[in-house]
Amino acid sequence: MEIPGQAHIIVTGNEKGGSGKSTTAMHLIVGLMRAGHSVAAIDLDTRQGTLRRYILNRQAFTEDQKKDLPMPVLAEIEPSTDVNRDTAEVEDEENLTTTIAGLSATSDIVVIDTPGADSSLSRLGHSLADTLVTPLNDSFVDLDVLARIDGRSLNIDKPSHYAEMVWQQKMRRAKRDGGSMDWIVMRNRLSSLDARNKREMQRLLGDLSDRIGFRQVPGFGERVIFRELFLVGLTMLDLLDVLGEDSLTLSHVAARQEVRNLIDAVGL
Ligand SMILES: Nc1ncnc2c1ncn2[C@@H]1O[C@H](COP(=O)(O)OP(=O)(O)O)[C@@H](O)[C@H]1O
Ligand SMILES: [Mg+2]
């Protein structure tokens, strides 16, 4: 159930830093704009501000190069400075929900990027999600934030802190407006090597998805170009416009398809 007149909210989240939240958020934004949606962005990682910088880099690039690329609305959020934690939380919630209500007048999707650490603002962001996308590096170290894995049997012991936080925010959301969250876990930086690790991750995530209620979607391969695009504010989906068909490599085309698969899996 969605609130009538309110934009669909997609949150990228994972308590692990460096899992690809901001990169995924930017690719979702551009992919959804290219699919015909009007999209707004909110960066709740006010400390690193990667998504915000990414969008500002895109604005600078299009101005410098006189390129006409789809541009999201970037909303600025100032976290509350109230010393009382409870008051600050209430203020942040009012501030964010008012901002989203304002954005909903012109945007049908709002993408919210969150920090890679537990904070009240991050929890709040999660509690607003219609769709939560959690990118996960293909490593047991990163899987550990979702579930404790028994090292001897290589089976799931119990859900861990991030999974529990998501559960609590689902409850908070249900209580607030009766809405529900579609949780998607996406494996990121998949290597073309290490087939055994890949298989084990696949099996464990399969078991876990039933237990803690997410769906697994195919993610992005490990590609250097993801790191390079940030400075010019571009995504894999802009390369055709910027470089032209003849300059696209097979790797570009494969990466673009991975992003499209994610957009399709979100299913808006
Ligand atoms: N599929 C990928 N292949 C290669 N590098 C990636 C990929 N996804 C993300 N990265 C890089 O990993 C680093 C962390 O990504 P970022 O999106 O900032 O993660 P987070 O927001 O979760 O901290 C960045 O340097 C980014 O360019
Ligand atoms: Mg980030």
Side-chain angles (χ1 to χ4, degrees):
M1 193 196 89
E2 284 187 25
I3 305 166
Q6 176 164 299
H8 185 96
I9 301 175
I10 303 179
V11 173
T12 51
N14 183 338
E15 256 168 51
K16 197 96 189 164
S19 57
K21 294 178 287 297
S22 305
T23 305
T24 303
M26 190 63 180
H27 280 77
L28 283 168
I29 289 168
V30 174
L32 290 163
M33 285 191 299
R34 287 188 176 276
H37 294 283
S38 46
V39 184
I42 298 177
D43 192 347
L44 286 186
D45 189 354
T46 50
R47 200 174 164 82
Q48 297 197 351
T50 309
L51 181 64
R52 180 172 175 276
R53 300 265 359 127
Y54 210 141
I55 294 169
L56 295 179
N57 290 344
R58 186 177 180 86
Q59 286 169 358
F61 177 85
T62 51
E63 276 162 32
D64 292 350
Q65 304 290 316
K66 313 242 174 319
K67 289 271 181 200
D68 189 20
L69 294 175
M71 198 65 68
V73 173
L74 175 63
E76 302 283 351
I77 289 284
E78 286 293 329
S80 168
T81 50
D82 202 297
V83 286
N84 182 307
R85 256 185 28 199
D86 294 337
T87 319
E89 269 185 34
V90 173
E91 215 175 87
D92 281 338
E93 180 154 355
E94 273 172 15
N95 187 4
L96 194 55
T97 46
T98 311
T99 301
I100 291 169
L103 292 170
S104 298
T106 51
S107 306
D108 40 74
I109 297 170
V110 178
V111 174
I112 303 180
D113 191 23
T114 61
D118 185 39
S119 71
S120 117
L121 209 51
S122 173
R123 288 194 295 271
L124 171 62
H126 282 74
S127 81
L128 295 167
D130 296 307
T131 306
L132 170 63
V133 178
T134 299
L136 188 76
N137 280 320
D138 223 33
S139 145
F140 294 125
V141 179
D142 288 56
L143 184 59
D144 199 58
V145 304
L146 279 185
R148 281 289 117 79
I149 309 297
D150 182 292
R152 279 187 223 116
S153 65
L154 275 190
N155 284 319
I156 297 159
D157 221 356
K158 60 172 198 269
S160 36
H161 44 284
Y162 182 68
E164 269 162 25
M165 189 276 265
V166 171
W167 175 253
Q168 281 159 10
Q169 300 319 312
K170 274 187 181 181
M171 297 296 109
R172 181 173 169 192
R173 165 78 200 270
K175 219 167 114 185
R176 189 193 295 122
D177 58 33
S180 63
M181 172 209 286
D182 178 22
W183 187 12
I184 293 174
V185 172
M186 160 200 144
R187 290 157 75 194
N188 190 22
R189 309 185 72 158
L190 291 163
S191 84
S192 43
L193 309 164
D194 209 358
R196 179 155 178 269
N197 180 68
K198 248 178 164 168
R199 268 200 317 273
E200 287 299 334
M201 285 290 291
Q202 175 86 34
R203 177 180 64 82
L204 287 167
L205 280 173
D207 289 353
L208 194 58
S209 67
D210 297 335
R211 279 176 66 168
I212 62 177
F214 60 77
R215 36 187 199 113
Q216 241 196 107
V217 306
F220 307 158
E222 167 72 35
R223 295 176 207 277
V224 181
I225 189 163
F226 277 109
R227 275 170 263 165
E228 297 167 345
L229 290 172
F230 168 74
L231 282 180
V232 279
L234 297 176
T235 66
M236 297 307 313
L237 304 169
D238 301 306
L239 293 183
L240 181 62
D241 281 2
V242 174
L243 298 178
E245 184 83 56
D246 293 343
S247 303
L248 289 195
T249 66
L250 276 178
S251 166
H252 292 154
V253 173
R256 190 177 63 185
Q257 193 53 46
E258 289 168 358
V259 179
R260 287 186 180 153
N261 291 344
L262 172 67
I263 308 279
D264 288 347
V266 170
L268 295 180

